[in-house]
Amino acid sequence: IRDISVSLEFRRVLFRSGLVVIDLPPNWSNWSASVAFSANLLLVVTELSLGSIRSAKRCIDLFDVIGIDRAKVQIVANKVEKKLFKPIDVSDLSGTLGRKIAAVLPKDTADLSRAQDQGLPVGLAAKRNAFAAAMTGLAQSVRDEIGLGGQA
């Protein structure tokens, strides 16, 4: 009964808000699976390390097992460094995980740390920040994907 009530509450909040973003834990339970199943779009965030990609693959496989529509699952590559020679490239990620790459978020420790210290969004703390621009692009992509349109 608890999982049903969580799913119903999720749907009530979604109906009132139009958009709900939930950061689910890496360890799945019945309630998180219910929420994921009810979602319009699922973003699996992963870094370009073998451990992180394996974890993302397990998550995506779980989505397949519980019957989540493959078109609802997209990948966000996080902390991507601009290096000429990398062991794993973003282009490899889509093929390995079999899903669309929704966004590539660059690694940016200096501006992000400064923004956190100041208690500000990184876009306000550092003008022309690549991470902030990528997040804005991701937000717009999500809005377009779920049919909200408009400016993010």
Side-chain angles (χ1 to χ4, degrees), residues 20 31 39 53 78 117 123:
V20 178
W31 75 264
I53 293 170
N78 193 22
D117 291 346

Side-chain angles (χ1 to χ4, degrees), residues 41-46 71-78 90 93-94 97 99-105 133-143 145:
L41 178 65
L42 295 163
L43 298 175
V44 178
V45 181
T46 185
K72 291 185 353 178
V73 181
Q74 296 181 14
I75 306 301
V76 175
N78 193 22
V90 173
L93 191 60
S94 179
L97 298 178
R99 297 298 193 281
K100 175 184 171 185
I101 303 294
V104 177
L105 306 177
M135 286 298 291
T136 300
L138 174 59
Q140 188 61 52
S141 172
V142 167
R143 291 179 63 85
E145 188 75 29

Side-chain angles (χ1 to χ4, degrees), residues 55-127:
S55 180
K57 179 75 171 134
R58 282 192 301 271
C59 181
I60 289 169
D61 289 346
L62 174 65
F63 291 159
D64 287 342
V65 168
I66 64 175
I68 291 176
D69 182 4
R70 293 176 68 90
K72 291 185 353 178
V73 181
Q74 296 181 14
I75 306 301
V76 175
N78 193 22
K79 298 182 183 176
V80 175
E81 295 183 75
K82 289 186 178 183
K83 289 183 178 178
L84 188 55
F85 299 105
K86 301 179 263 194
I88 302 171
D89 191 46
V90 173
S91 60
D92 300 327
L93 191 60
S94 179
T96 300
L97 298 178
R99 297 298 193 281
K100 175 184 171 185
I101 303 294
V104 177
L105 306 177
K107 185 172 183 174
D108 178 0
T109 54
D111 285 344
L112 287 174
S113 292
R114 188 171 32 261
Q116 286 177 336
D117 291 346
Q118 295 173 7
L120 295 171
V122 70
L124 293 177
K127 301 296 183 209

